[in-house]
Amino acid sequence: MACDAEILPAVLGSDGAILDLGTGTRLFTSNQRHAIGERDGHHCNFPDCQAPEKWCHAHHIVHWADGGPTDVRNGVLLCPTHHEMIHHDNWQVRMGDQGHPEYIPPPWTNPTQHPLRR
């Protein structure tokens, strides 16, 4: 019954801020956005972009519609230009081994599809 109602526990940070909302909530909270910014440098995380955090969208690495959770580990800050590029130009984002996002270009841009990192 709780699963059908999408009742999910929330993971809280040390100050009580919500950091993980599972898949029941689609949008990242301001506290989650700030935590992502702390991890990734307070600007667009796409390589060589310096758009400030305030201009960025919080993007689900595993899309929410595909069951990706709304949590810090599944989020990355992207400026509108790079967010649009990820969604519409066949770029992929994944979490790298070091706990930071990496970007895989489409094969027609980079045939080896070597991941790019910030």
Side-chain angles (χ1 to χ4, degrees):
M1 185 172 172
C3 291
D4 291 340
E6 292 189 30
I7 297 171
L8 300 169
V11 176
L12 305 177
S14 61
D15 63 351
I18 296 173
L19 300 179
D20 181 350
L21 294 171
T23 57
T25 301
R26 179 173 169 257
L27 300 177
F28 288 91
T29 66
S30 61
N31 287 322
Q32 288 173 310
R33 289 174 48 84
H34 184 68
I36 294 167
E38 285 287 326
R39 180 193 69 205
D40 295 338
H42 296 291
H43 43 72
C44 176
N45 185 257
F46 198 85
D48 299 323
C49 185
Q50 293 294 317
E53 180 178 341
K54 289 183 179 186
W55 297 358
C56 293
H57 304 156
H59 170 76
H60 286 84
I61 294 171
V62 176
H63 296 289
W64 181 81
D66 295 332
T70 303
D71 69 34
V72 173
R73 293 176 311 268
N74 191 44
V76 63
L77 296 180
L78 296 170
C79 70
T81 299
H82 290 119
H83 196 197
E84 178 85 9
M85 189 176 79
I86 295 296
H87 279 288
H88 299 291
D89 292 342
N90 292 323
W91 281 76
Q92 297 175 31
V93 184
R94 69 182 183 200
M95 194 57 74
D97 294 337
Q98 305 297 322
H100 294 280
E102 52 188 28
Y103 303 86
I104 303 164
W108 59 86
T109 302
N110 182 338
T112 65
Q113 291 192 289
H114 182 75
L116 304 173
R117 295 174 190 88
R118 181 130 188 90

